Amino acid sequence: MWPFPPKRFSKNSLVDAGSMGIDVQGRVIAFGDFNGDQFLDALTLGSDQQTLTVYLWSHDDFIFKLSDTFTHSRKIYNVVPGDFTHSGKLDLLVMAESSTSNQLDLTLYPAMPGGGFDKSTLLSIPPSALPQPIPIDVDGDMRIDLFGMTPTSQGSSGSPFQVWQNIWNASEPHSPLFNVGDPFFKGAQCQLANPHSNAVVDFDGDCLADLFLLCDNGHGGKSYQIWVNNKSKGFSLASQGAMPAGVQTVSFADIDRDGTIDMVFATCVSVSTSTGVGTDCAINIAYNQQLPLCASGDSGVKKGVQTCRPPDDLCTADPAFKFDLSGANDAYVRLPISSLFPSGSLVVLDTTQVPQLPISLKLGDANLDGFPDMLVIIASAQDHVPKMLISVPCGVGTIGCGPGHVKRGWSVATKGTEALDAIKDARSVSFLDMDEDGTLDIMVQRTGGAGQGNIMFVQNNIYYDAFFLKAIAVLNGACGNGWCYGPNGTERYHPFGVSYSGASYKYTVLDTTGSRSAAQVGQLPQTGYHALQTPYAFFGLGRTNNYIENLFVGSTMHAPQHYINMEGVIPNSKVVILPPSQAGDPWKRELFLRPGEWIPLVTLTVVVGTALLAVIVLVLHLNEKREDEMERRRASHHINFDAL
């Protein structure tokens, strides 16, 4: 007689959800919304490294279902889903081995309006050097360009950087997709590392995506460069420096929730190429030092100098931003793996793939407190076990909180993590939100033993009394009115799955104590080397009883106002932003509210409460009516002696 369906997962813990329908002897290589239904789909690569399979998420069946499969002509190194043809649907950029040893062959599988990919009309793209190119909008037209090095520019002492500028014209049947050149970067350019951690994310705080590059200095040394986006003036070199010895992959997130993007990376003295396990590894956090959030009543300007950012003006650039990786300052923290896992070592390479893949530190707010947590793989004896590190406030004895450090500490998650601890053959971990229910789940890729699959999903069913906000996408301006139409005019669809890199989000929120904080999140900053980042931005809001005060959403448009400010956004919602397709058009925004699991209980409580109040009102009404009747009868028997 209970009118609501039973819970799919009832245990308050991380729950083993199995393969969720993905049955491949290979790996998941990328995420994307391939059918534009606002649910995350998966793209897998077979064990032959040539077969690609698209799995679409079925909300009704709560499972991934096979949709399309095809085989590429050469061994695939990476796939980047993106709307390269500006049609509002995801195309597939395939990076594969070449007959020439020092380059990657690039091929585009265009999306078809009715679904699937056009396998008969592939678009050939000028090849890249071995460091994988990344998608970026360099010219501000909201179309996906590529950044990297060509085989001829690599090794150049002057201009190794090259841009594949998107010049696609759908009305021309033989239009080229890219024009390769370098009109956007002026300054001392480095040689890109292979593998690298190149990323498109905002560093100076103006809500306009900049460019981070991991460079190869030769002889095993690495450095970094940060190029700031100056819109129509191109990119200028704003910061550079040496990376610590033994640096691995660099990840990016707002670790201390101060409204700036920080660096997170591992360093190891040495790495075994046979097992992928590092020796004497440490997790390093370099905090971005720039203008803080203004206190209440502070205008942010003193003697004509900007000293902080007001809550209603977060997208103010700070040209003086900096990272100090020297290790002798309060903005740099080093956490030895031995302090977190005394008998374990960090796994930094996936040796099951050819060429070997770097394993980055995966960041995501698993407990919705507003501070990113971390997924790592720890080697103990012959086991490779996924572990979660939870960001916690600094206190006495908290790991990562030494003298002078007032940022965040870390602890190993142990409560309800049996599903993770049972895995002994992990080779990759990733955060994702299955079924778009507002919790970050975990996907673990395994080497696969007898009776075991290669893919395992772990449902995050731990209850947190906190709120979240998800920005599905800042779209790329395709189909300016929000609807796209196929060639025959009968096919109509929303351009929700465009996987646009470089969008930036900043927000302010008040917690239950009245304290205001700011946070920043980037959208799809990294796509190289099977980065497996989701095409949406997900951020926990912590405990709050208010609307989000200000949500700033930045695009890569070269317009005077490349961002908007949304006030009073409802928590536990999903936001879609449609930038103008041309100058002068308005921004469009859509807000989707998804009922949580607590809605039936709230509904039942409201109904029972209303019924109880109705009974009380009815009883009081009947009592009042009875007393009025008695009073009327007494009055009718009263004799007025004065009248006699």
Side-chain angles (χ1 to χ4, degrees):
M1 296 182 62
W2 181 251
F4 307 112
K7 288 186 177 181
R8 192 178 303 274
F9 303 103
S10 57
K11 190 176 181 181
N12 187 25
S13 65
L14 298 178
V15 181
D16 181 354
S19 65
M20 302 302 293
I22 298 182
D23 184 17
V24 294
Q25 294 301 316
R27 62 186 301 119
V28 175
I29 192 172
F31 293 124
D33 182 4
F34 294 104
N35 56 352
D37 63 350
Q38 301 184 37
F39 289 99
L40 190 67
D41 309 314
L43 178 70
T44 66
L45 178 65
S47 57
D48 59 357
Q49 288 192 233
Q50 292 181 248
T51 303
L52 293 173
T53 305
V54 177
Y55 285 87
L56 301 180
W57 178 258
S58 173
H59 172 64
D60 295 333
D61 299 320
F62 201 80
I63 199 171
F64 288 99
K65 291 188 175 181
L66 191 150
S67 172
D68 192 10
T69 183
F70 53 95
T71 301
H72 193 62
S73 58
R74 304 190 70 90
K75 184 179 293 185
I76 296 173
Y77 290 163
N78 192 32
V79 178
V80 178
D83 184 16
F84 292 89
T85 57
H86 214 61
S87 64
K89 279 187 173 291
L90 280 182
D91 311 309
L92 293 181
L93 175 65
V94 175
M95 305 178 187
E97 70 173 354
S98 173
S99 56
T100 305
S101 60
N102 67 336
Q103 71 180 37
L104 293 176
D105 284 346
L106 306 181
T107 306
L108 189 79
Y109 287 81
M112 295 189 296
F117 302 96
D118 189 349
K119 309 171 189 65
S120 60
T121 311
L122 305 183
L123 300 180
S124 182
I125 300 172
S128 159
L130 291 180
Q132 295 178 8
I134 62 172
I136 181 176
D137 177 21
V138 294
D139 52 0
D141 61 356
M142 301 292 290
R143 294 173 180 259
I144 301 179
D145 310 308
L146 295 176
F147 170 87
M149 297 187 301
T150 62
T152 55
S153 72
Q154 186 177 23
S156 169
S157 59
S159 301
F161 297 170
Q162 293 292 293
V163 172
W164 286 253
Q165 188 175 2
N166 194 323
I167 57 173
W168 174 256
N169 186 352
S171 61
E172 295 184 9
H174 301 290
S175 171
L177 183 59
F178 291 114
N179 179 35
V180 182
D182 178 29
F184 304 98
F185 295 85
K186 305 301 178 185
Q189 302 178 7
C190 68
Q191 296 292 324
L192 302 181
N194 182 32
H196 58 66
S197 304
N198 298 350
V200 182
V201 68
D202 174 30
F203 287 103
D204 62 351
D206 61 353
C207 300
L208 184 65
D210 307 310
L211 183 62
F212 174 90
L213 303 177
L214 188 63
C215 307
D216 189 351
N217 297 341
H219 309 290
K222 293 183 179 179
S223 62
Y224 74 92
Q225 288 187 345
I226 296 177
W227 292 75
V228 171
N229 192 339
N230 300 308
K231 295 185 180 179
S232 59
K233 297 180 181 179
F235 289 76
S236 60
L237 182 60
S239 178
Q240 61 181 334
M243 297 296 293
V247 64
Q248 306 300 315
T249 307
V250 186
S251 302
F252 303 92
D254 186 356
I255 298 298
D256 54 347
R257 200 165 79 163
D258 65 346
T260 63
I261 295 294
D262 310 309
M263 290 188 205
V264 183
F265 56 91
T267 53
C268 299
V269 173
S270 62
V271 178
S272 169
T273 56
S274 60
T275 64
V277 178
T279 304
D280 294 332
C281 295
I283 297 174
N284 303 263
I285 303 174
Y287 290 98
N288 193 339
Q289 303 176 66
Q290 56 175 274
L291 292 173
L293 180 68
C294 293
S296 179
D298 191 345
S299 64
V301 179
K302 292 183 179 179
K303 298 181 179 179
V305 178
Q306 188 84 25
T307 58
C308 60
R309 291 189 178 96
D312 58 352
D313 190 17
L314 294 182
C315 294
T316 301
D318 182 7
F321 81 95
K322 66 175 182 177
F323 292 95
D324 190 343
L325 277 64
S326 65
N329 61 89
D330 293 343
Y332 184 86
V333 179
R334 186 175 184 273
L335 295 84
I337 291 296
S338 58
S339 65
L340 295 163
F341 305 96
S343 59
S345 303
L346 186 65
V347 181
V348 296
L349 280 179
D350 180 0
T351 58
T352 64
Q353 195 79 0
V354 180
Q356 295 179 347
L357 291 172
I359 300 177
S360 60
L361 304 173
K362 298 299 170 59
L363 302 169
D365 190 2
N367 58 0
L368 305 181
D369 64 349
F371 297 93
D373 308 305
M374 193 182 307
L375 285 176
V376 297
I377 299 177
I378 298 299
S380 179
Q382 301 299 318
D383 298 334
H384 289 189
V385 183
K387 294 288 186 179
M388 183 186 297
L389 302 179
I390 302 297
S391 176
V392 296
C394 277
V396 178
T398 305
I399 298 175
C401 297
H405 294 306
V406 292
K407 302 289 185 178
R408 300 289 292 182
W410 300 86
S411 67
V412 180
T414 56
K415 183 179 179 181
T417 61
E418 294 81 6
L420 285 181
D421 298 336
I423 301 173
K424 307 300 182 183
D425 59 346
R427 57 174 173 166
S428 173
V429 286
S430 304
F431 279 117
L432 77 161
D433 182 6
M434 289 192 301
D435 204 45
E436 310 297 326
D437 60 357
T439 59
L440 278 187
D441 309 303
I442 300 170
M443 184 187 71
V444 182
Q445 308 208 57
R446 312 172 64 174
T447 56
Q452 297 177 342
N454 291 78
I455 311 296
M456 173 179 169
F457 291 89
V458 178
Q459 172 79 20
N460 183 357
N461 202 49
I462 301 177
Y463 174 75
Y464 303 107
D465 57 340
F467 295 92
F468 73 92
L469 184 70
K470 174 183 287 186
I472 299 177
V474 169
L475 304 184
N476 62 352
C479 320
N481 62 352
W483 287 98
C484 297
Y485 296 88
N488 56 9
T490 59
E491 182 75 23
R492 191 174 79 154
Y493 54 89
H494 277 299
F496 284 150
V498 296
S499 292
Y500 163 63
S501 295
S504 182
Y505 305 89
K506 277 189 174 185
Y507 69 89
T508 57
V509 67
L510 288 172
D511 60 22
T512 53
T513 65
S515 300
R516 178 183 286 109
S517 60
Q520 184 174 9
V521 181
Q523 178 173 295
L524 197 61
Q526 294 172 305
T527 56
Y529 304 92
H530 301 205
L532 281 176
Q533 295 184 353
T534 56
Y536 49 71
F538 180 96
F539 30 96
L541 301 175
R543 294 182 178 91
T544 177
N545 52 8
N546 294 302
Y547 295 105
I548 299 173
E549 288 186 309
N550 299 93
L551 173 63
F552 288 84
V553 183
S555 70
T556 57
M557 292 188 304
H558 289 179
Q561 195 76 358
H562 62 273
Y563 62 88
I564 60 169
N565 177 17
M566 301 173 60
E567 297 182 352
V569 179
I570 303 173
N572 284 15
S573 61
K574 298 187 292 186
V575 181
V576 175
I577 306 297
L578 293 86
S581 56
Q582 56 186 0
D585 289 348
W587 290 69
K588 297 180 181 179
R589 64 211 78 176
E590 297 180 7
L591 187 70
F592 297 89
L593 297 177
R594 170 162 181 160
E597 293 183 358
W598 41 266
I599 290 295
L601 295 178
V602 172
T603 303
L604 182 63
T605 302
V606 170
V607 171
V608 172
T610 303
L612 182 61
L613 290 175
V615 170
I616 294 174
V617 170
L618 179 61
V619 170
L620 293 177
H621 173 71
L622 293 177
N623 286 340
E624 184 68 21
K625 187 176 181 180
R626 183 172 58 86
E627 291 180 1
D628 290 345
E629 181 64 21
M630 293 176 61
E631 183 70 23
R632 186 186 64 79
R633 290 179 180 179
R634 284 196 297 265
S636 66
H637 290 84
H638 181 71
I639 300 175
N640 190 343
F641 293 96
D642 293 337
L644 298 177

Short mmCIF file of all heavy atoms in Angstrom, two decimals, residues 245-289:
data_model
loop_
_atom_site.label_atom_id
_atom_site.label_comp_id
_atom_site.label_asym_id
_atom_site.label_seq_id
_atom_site.Cartn_x
_atom_site.Cartn_y
_atom_site.Cartn_z
N ALA A 245 60.99 18.30 -8.37
CA ALA A 245 61.55 17.09 -8.98
C ALA A 245 60.57 15.92 -8.81
O ALA A 245 59.92 15.78 -7.78
CB ALA A 245 62.89 16.75 -8.33
N GLY A 246 60.47 15.11 -9.84
CA GLY A 246 59.60 13.94 -9.79
C GLY A 246 58.13 14.25 -9.94
O GLY A 246 57.29 13.43 -9.55
N VAL A 247 57.78 15.41 -10.50
CA VAL A 247 56.38 15.79 -10.63
C VAL A 247 55.66 14.83 -11.58
O VAL A 247 56.21 14.39 -12.58
CB VAL A 247 56.25 17.25 -11.12
CG1 VAL A 247 56.82 17.40 -12.52
CG2 VAL A 247 54.80 17.70 -11.08
N GLN A 248 54.42 14.50 -11.23
CA GLN A 248 53.56 13.66 -12.06
C GLN A 248 52.47 14.55 -12.67
O GLN A 248 52.72 15.69 -12.98
CB GLN A 248 52.98 12.52 -11.22
CG GLN A 248 54.04 11.69 -10.49
CD GLN A 248 55.03 11.02 -11.42
OE1 GLN A 248 54.65 10.44 -12.45
NE2 GLN A 248 56.32 11.10 -11.10
N THR A 249 51.26 14.06 -12.80
CA THR A 249 50.19 14.82 -13.41
C THR A 249 49.66 15.89 -12.47
O THR A 249 49.53 15.66 -11.26
CB THR A 249 49.04 13.88 -13.81
OG1 THR A 249 49.57 12.82 -14.61
CG2 THR A 249 47.98 14.60 -14.61
N VAL A 250 49.34 17.06 -13.01
CA VAL A 250 48.83 18.19 -12.24
C VAL A 250 47.31 18.27 -12.42
O VAL A 250 46.81 18.19 -13.54
CB VAL A 250 49.49 19.52 -12.68
CG1 VAL A 250 49.05 20.66 -11.76
CG2 VAL A 250 51.01 19.39 -12.67
N SER A 251 46.59 18.44 -11.30
CA SER A 251 45.14 18.63 -11.31
C SER A 251 44.81 19.99 -10.74
O SER A 251 45.66 20.64 -10.09
CB SER A 251 44.44 17.53 -10.51
OG SER A 251 44.75 16.24 -11.01
N PHE A 252 43.56 20.45 -10.93
CA PHE A 252 43.18 21.81 -10.55
C PHE A 252 41.82 21.82 -9.86
O PHE A 252 40.88 21.17 -10.31
CB PHE A 252 43.15 22.72 -11.78
CG PHE A 252 44.46 22.76 -12.52
CD1 PHE A 252 44.70 21.90 -13.58
CD2 PHE A 252 45.46 23.63 -12.14
CE1 PHE A 252 45.90 21.92 -14.25
CE2 PHE A 252 46.67 23.66 -12.81
CZ PHE A 252 46.89 22.80 -13.87
N ALA A 253 41.73 22.56 -8.76
CA ALA A 253 40.47 22.73 -8.04
C ALA A 253 40.66 23.83 -7.01
O ALA A 253 41.79 24.21 -6.67
CB ALA A 253 40.03 21.43 -7.36
N ASP A 254 39.56 24.36 -6.51
CA ASP A 254 39.59 25.37 -5.44
C ASP A 254 39.61 24.61 -4.11
O ASP A 254 38.59 24.34 -3.51
CB ASP A 254 38.36 26.27 -5.53
CG ASP A 254 38.40 27.42 -4.55
OD1 ASP A 254 39.35 27.48 -3.73
OD2 ASP A 254 37.48 28.26 -4.56
N ILE A 255 40.80 24.28 -3.65
CA ILE A 255 40.96 23.40 -2.49
C ILE A 255 40.46 24.05 -1.20
O ILE A 255 39.82 23.40 -0.37
CB ILE A 255 42.43 22.97 -2.34
CG1 ILE A 255 42.89 22.18 -3.58
CG2 ILE A 255 42.61 22.12 -1.08
CD1 ILE A 255 42.13 20.90 -3.81
N ASP A 256 40.75 25.33 -0.99
CA ASP A 256 40.42 25.99 0.27
C ASP A 256 39.18 26.87 0.17
O ASP A 256 38.90 27.65 1.08
CB ASP A 256 41.60 26.81 0.77
CG ASP A 256 42.12 27.79 -0.27
OD1 ASP A 256 41.73 27.67 -1.44
OD2 ASP A 256 42.92 28.67 0.09
N ARG A 257 38.43 26.78 -0.91
CA ARG A 257 37.18 27.53 -1.11
C ARG A 257 37.37 29.02 -0.81
O ARG A 257 36.70 29.60 0.02
CB ARG A 257 36.06 26.96 -0.25
CG ARG A 257 34.68 27.38 -0.78
CD ARG A 257 33.56 26.57 -0.20
NE ARG A 257 33.19 26.98 1.14
CZ ARG A 257 32.05 26.65 1.74
NH1 ARG A 257 31.19 25.89 1.12
NH2 ARG A 257 31.80 27.05 2.96
N ASP A 258 38.29 29.61 -1.58
CA ASP A 258 38.51 31.05 -1.46
C ASP A 258 38.23 31.76 -2.78
O ASP A 258 38.53 32.94 -2.92
CB ASP A 258 39.93 31.34 -0.99
CG ASP A 258 40.99 30.91 -2.00
OD1 ASP A 258 40.64 30.14 -2.94
OD2 ASP A 258 42.15 31.32 -1.87
N GLY A 259 37.69 31.04 -3.75
CA GLY A 259 37.36 31.65 -5.03
C GLY A 259 38.50 31.66 -6.03
O GLY A 259 38.43 32.40 -7.02
N THR A 260 39.55 30.84 -5.82
CA THR A 260 40.68 30.77 -6.75
C THR A 260 41.01 29.32 -7.04
O THR A 260 40.78 28.43 -6.21
CB THR A 260 41.93 31.47 -6.18
OG1 THR A 260 42.36 30.78 -5.00
CG2 THR A 260 41.62 32.91 -5.82
N ILE A 261 41.59 29.07 -8.21
CA ILE A 261 41.94 27.71 -8.63
C ILE A 261 43.36 27.39 -8.19
O ILE A 261 44.30 28.14 -8.48
CB ILE A 261 41.82 27.57 -10.16
CG1 ILE A 261 40.36 27.73 -10.59
CG2 ILE A 261 42.35 26.21 -10.61
CD1 ILE A 261 39.44 26.64 -10.10
N ASP A 262 43.53 26.27 -7.48
CA ASP A 262 44.81 25.84 -6.95
C ASP A 262 45.35 24.65 -7.76
O ASP A 262 44.62 24.01 -8.52
CB ASP A 262 44.68 25.45 -5.48
CG ASP A 262 43.96 26.52 -4.66
OD1 ASP A 262 44.37 27.69 -4.76
OD2 ASP A 262 43.00 26.20 -3.94
N MET A 263 46.64 24.36 -7.56
CA MET A 263 47.29 23.21 -8.20
C MET A 263 47.39 22.06 -7.19
O MET A 263 47.71 22.28 -6.02
CB MET A 263 48.73 23.54 -8.64
CG MET A 263 48.88 24.47 -9.78
SD MET A 263 50.65 24.48 -10.24
CE MET A 263 50.76 26.08 -11.02
N VAL A 264 47.16 20.84 -7.68
CA VAL A 264 47.35 19.63 -6.87
C VAL A 264 48.11 18.62 -7.73
O VAL A 264 47.68 18.33 -8.85
CB VAL A 264 46.02 19.03 -6.41
CG1 VAL A 264 46.25 17.83 -5.50
CG2 VAL A 264 45.17 20.08 -5.69
N PHE A 265 49.22 18.10 -7.23
CA PHE A 265 50.00 17.15 -8.01
C PHE A 265 50.80 16.24 -7.09
O PHE A 265 51.04 16.56 -5.92
CB PHE A 265 50.94 17.89 -8.99
CG PHE A 265 51.86 18.87 -8.33
CD1 PHE A 265 53.13 18.49 -7.90
CD2 PHE A 265 51.47 20.19 -8.15
CE1 PHE A 265 53.98 19.41 -7.30
CE2 PHE A 265 52.30 21.12 -7.55
CZ PHE A 265 53.57 20.73 -7.12
N ALA A 266 51.21 15.11 -7.63
CA ALA A 266 52.04 14.17 -6.89
C ALA A 266 53.49 14.30 -7.35
O ALA A 266 53.77 14.64 -8.51
CB ALA A 266 51.55 12.75 -7.11
N THR A 267 54.39 14.03 -6.44
CA THR A 267 55.82 13.94 -6.76
C THR A 267 56.34 12.61 -6.22
O THR A 267 55.93 12.17 -5.14
CB THR A 267 56.62 15.10 -6.14
OG1 THR A 267 56.36 15.17 -4.73
CG2 THR A 267 56.26 16.43 -6.78
N CYS A 268 57.22 11.98 -6.97
CA CYS A 268 57.81 10.71 -6.57
C CYS A 268 59.30 10.74 -6.89
O CYS A 268 59.72 11.30 -7.91
CB CYS A 268 57.16 9.53 -7.29
SG CYS A 268 55.38 9.35 -6.98
N VAL A 269 60.07 10.10 -6.03
CA VAL A 269 61.51 10.02 -6.27
C VAL A 269 61.78 9.18 -7.51
O VAL A 269 62.64 9.51 -8.34
CB VAL A 269 62.23 9.44 -5.04
CG1 VAL A 269 63.70 9.18 -5.35
CG2 VAL A 269 62.10 10.39 -3.86
N SER A 270 61.03 8.09 -7.66
CA SER A 270 61.16 7.24 -8.84
C SER A 270 59.84 6.52 -9.05
O SER A 270 59.01 6.42 -8.15
CB SER A 270 62.30 6.22 -8.68
OG SER A 270 62.04 5.36 -7.57
N VAL A 271 59.65 6.01 -10.28
CA VAL A 271 58.42 5.31 -10.64
C VAL A 271 58.79 4.04 -11.40
O VAL A 271 59.59 4.08 -12.34
CB VAL A 271 57.50 6.18 -11.51
CG1 VAL A 271 56.25 5.40 -11.91
CG2 VAL A 271 57.11 7.45 -10.78
N SER A 272 58.20 2.92 -11.00
CA SER A 272 58.44 1.65 -11.67
C SER A 272 57.60 1.60 -12.95
O SER A 272 56.38 1.75 -12.91
CB SER A 272 58.07 0.49 -10.75
OG SER A 272 58.06 -0.73 -11.47
N THR A 273 58.25 1.37 -14.07
CA THR A 273 57.53 1.31 -15.34
C THR A 273 56.83 -0.03 -15.53
O THR A 273 56.02 -0.18 -16.45
CB THR A 273 58.50 1.53 -16.52
OG1 THR A 273 59.56 0.57 -16.44
CG2 THR A 273 59.08 2.94 -16.47
N SER A 274 57.10 -1.00 -14.67
CA SER A 274 56.43 -2.30 -14.78
C SER A 274 55.17 -2.37 -13.93
O SER A 274 54.20 -3.03 -14.30
CB SER A 274 57.39 -3.42 -14.37
OG SER A 274 57.82 -3.25 -13.02
N THR A 275 55.17 -1.70 -12.78
CA THR A 275 54.00 -1.72 -11.90
C THR A 275 53.28 -0.38 -11.82
O THR A 275 52.13 -0.33 -11.40
CB THR A 275 54.42 -2.14 -10.48
OG1 THR A 275 55.32 -1.15 -9.93
CG2 THR A 275 55.10 -3.50 -10.48
N GLY A 276 53.95 0.71 -12.21
CA GLY A 276 53.35 2.04 -12.11
C GLY A 276 53.36 2.61 -10.72
O GLY A 276 52.75 3.66 -10.47
N VAL A 277 54.05 1.99 -9.78
CA VAL A 277 54.08 2.42 -8.39
C VAL A 277 55.26 3.36 -8.16
O VAL A 277 56.38 3.08 -8.60
CB VAL A 277 54.16 1.21 -7.44
CG1 VAL A 277 54.22 1.66 -5.99
CG2 VAL A 277 52.97 0.29 -7.66
N GLY A 278 54.98 4.46 -7.46
CA GLY A 278 56.02 5.43 -7.17
C GLY A 278 56.69 5.15 -5.84
O GLY A 278 56.13 4.53 -4.94
N THR A 279 57.91 5.66 -5.72
CA THR A 279 58.69 5.53 -4.49
C THR A 279 58.80 6.88 -3.80
O THR A 279 59.08 7.90 -4.45
CB THR A 279 60.10 5.00 -4.80
OG1 THR A 279 59.99 3.76 -5.51
CG2 THR A 279 60.90 4.79 -3.52
N ASP A 280 58.59 6.89 -2.47
CA ASP A 280 58.68 8.13 -1.68
C ASP A 280 57.84 9.24 -2.31
O ASP A 280 58.32 10.35 -2.56
CB ASP A 280 60.14 8.58 -1.54
CG ASP A 280 60.97 7.61 -0.73
OD1 ASP A 280 60.39 6.92 0.13
OD2 ASP A 280 62.20 7.52 -0.96
N CYS A 281 56.58 8.94 -2.55
CA CYS A 281 55.70 9.92 -3.18
C CYS A 281 55.07 10.85 -2.15
O CYS A 281 54.98 10.52 -0.96
CB CYS A 281 54.58 9.21 -3.95
SG CYS A 281 55.15 8.23 -5.36
N ALA A 282 54.63 12.00 -2.63
CA ALA A 282 53.94 12.98 -1.78
C ALA A 282 52.90 13.69 -2.63
O ALA A 282 53.04 13.82 -3.86
CB ALA A 282 54.93 13.98 -1.19
N ILE A 283 51.83 14.13 -1.97
CA ILE A 283 50.80 14.96 -2.60
C ILE A 283 51.12 16.42 -2.29
O ILE A 283 51.31 16.79 -1.12
CB ILE A 283 49.41 14.58 -2.10
CG1 ILE A 283 49.07 13.14 -2.50
CG2 ILE A 283 48.35 15.54 -2.65
CD1 ILE A 283 47.77 12.63 -1.92
N ASN A 284 51.19 17.23 -3.32
CA ASN A 284 51.56 18.63 -3.18
C ASN A 284 50.38 19.52 -3.55
O ASN A 284 49.70 19.27 -4.56
CB ASN A 284 52.76 18.96 -4.08
CG ASN A 284 53.96 18.08 -3.79
OD1 ASN A 284 54.86 18.45 -3.06
ND2 ASN A 284 53.96 16.88 -4.37
N ILE A 285 50.16 20.56 -2.75
CA ILE A 285 49.10 21.53 -3.03
C ILE A 285 49.73 22.92 -3.05
O ILE A 285 50.31 23.37 -2.05
CB ILE A 285 47.99 21.48 -1.97
CG1 ILE A 285 47.41 20.07 -1.88
CG2 ILE A 285 46.89 22.48 -2.30
CD1 ILE A 285 46.41 19.89 -0.76
N ALA A 286 49.64 23.57 -4.20
CA ALA A 286 50.12 24.95 -4.35
C ALA A 286 48.90 25.86 -4.44
O ALA A 286 48.13 25.77 -5.40
CB ALA A 286 51.00 25.09 -5.59
N TYR A 287 48.72 26.72 -3.45
CA TYR A 287 47.54 27.58 -3.38
C TYR A 287 47.75 28.84 -4.21
O TYR A 287 48.83 29.45 -4.20
CB TYR A 287 47.24 27.95 -1.93
CG TYR A 287 46.74 26.79 -1.10
CD1 TYR A 287 47.59 26.07 -0.28
CD2 TYR A 287 45.41 26.39 -1.16
CE1 TYR A 287 47.15 25.00 0.48
CE2 TYR A 287 44.94 25.32 -0.41
CZ TYR A 287 45.82 24.63 0.40
OH TYR A 287 45.36 23.56 1.15
N ASN A 288 46.72 29.21 -4.93
CA ASN A 288 46.72 30.41 -5.77
C ASN A 288 46.59 31.64 -4.87
O ASN A 288 45.61 31.78 -4.14
CB ASN A 288 45.56 30.33 -6.75
CG ASN A 288 45.66 31.36 -7.86
OD1 ASN A 288 46.35 32.36 -7.72
ND2 ASN A 288 44.96 31.11 -8.95
N GLN A 289 47.56 32.52 -4.94
CA GLN A 289 47.56 33.72 -4.10
C GLN A 289 47.09 34.91 -4.93
O GLN A 289 47.78 35.36 -5.85
CB GLN A 289 48.97 33.98 -3.56
CG GLN A 289 49.53 32.81 -2.75
CD GLN A 289 50.96 33.05 -2.31
OE1 GLN A 289 51.24 33.94 -1.50
NE2 GLN A 289 51.88 32.26 -2.85
#
